[in-house]
């Protein structure tokens, strides 16, 4: 199942505190960019993931996030913590941490 325009609008609204975002649909999901930097994906089943590595990935895991995997391989994306899905301020805090960790 592919993500809908409503799914994409939800993610853009959730992260609207970051400023203008762009997205690109791919493989049934979507990739989200802030200032040209990929920081999040939306899976085809509607889950929001943040790009993460190192200490930031550890922080997400400690908060109950799960790593994204496809075809038996894991990738450097972790689910956005559940509490942030209903709290744009918290979601943006996590997203800013994701962007900072990529720098």
């Amino acid at each position: 199942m592919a993500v809908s325009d409503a799914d994409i609008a939800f993610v853009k609204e959730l992260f609207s505190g970051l400023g203008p975002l762009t997205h690109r649909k791919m493989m049934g999901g979507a990739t989200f960019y802030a200032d040209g930097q990929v920081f999040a994906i939306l899976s085809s089943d509607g889950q929001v993931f943040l790009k993460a590595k190192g200490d930031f990935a550890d922080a997400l895991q400690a908060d109950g996030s799960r790593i994204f995997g496809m075809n038996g391989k894991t990738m450097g994306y972790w689910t956005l913590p559940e509490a942030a899905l209903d709290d744009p301020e918290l979601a943006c805090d996590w997203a800013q941490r994701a962007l900072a960790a990529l720098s």
Side-chain angles (χ1 to χ4, degrees):
M1 182 164 113
V3 295
S4 68
D5 290 340
D7 294 328
I8 290 169
F10 168 78
V11 173
K12 284 188 168 185
E13 184 175 324
L14 188 64
F15 294 126
S16 64
L18 296 176
L21 301 179
T22 57
H23 74 279
R24 181 174 169 210
K25 288 184 178 181
M26 51 193 330
M27 300 186 331
T31 304
F32 292 85
Y33 303 79
D35 293 323
Q37 176 70 47
V38 174
F39 75 96
I41 59 174
L42 177 63
S43 67
S44 61
D45 64 357
Q47 291 186 69
V48 180
F49 293 84
L50 295 175
K51 193 168 188 178
K53 62 182 179 179
D55 291 340
F56 181 58
D58 293 342
L60 284 166
Q61 185 175 23
D63 205 65
S65 294
R66 297 173 323 281
I67 194 162
F68 177 76
M70 182 185 282
N71 299 324
K73 295 184 181 190
T74 58
M75 299 174 191
Y77 291 87
W78 291 78
T79 53
L80 182 66
E82 286 289 320
L85 291 171
D86 295 324
D87 184 342
E89 188 175 321
L90 183 57
C92 284
D93 178 60
W94 281 108
Q96 288 169 337
R97 292 172 65 186
L99 288 162
L102 297 171
S103 303

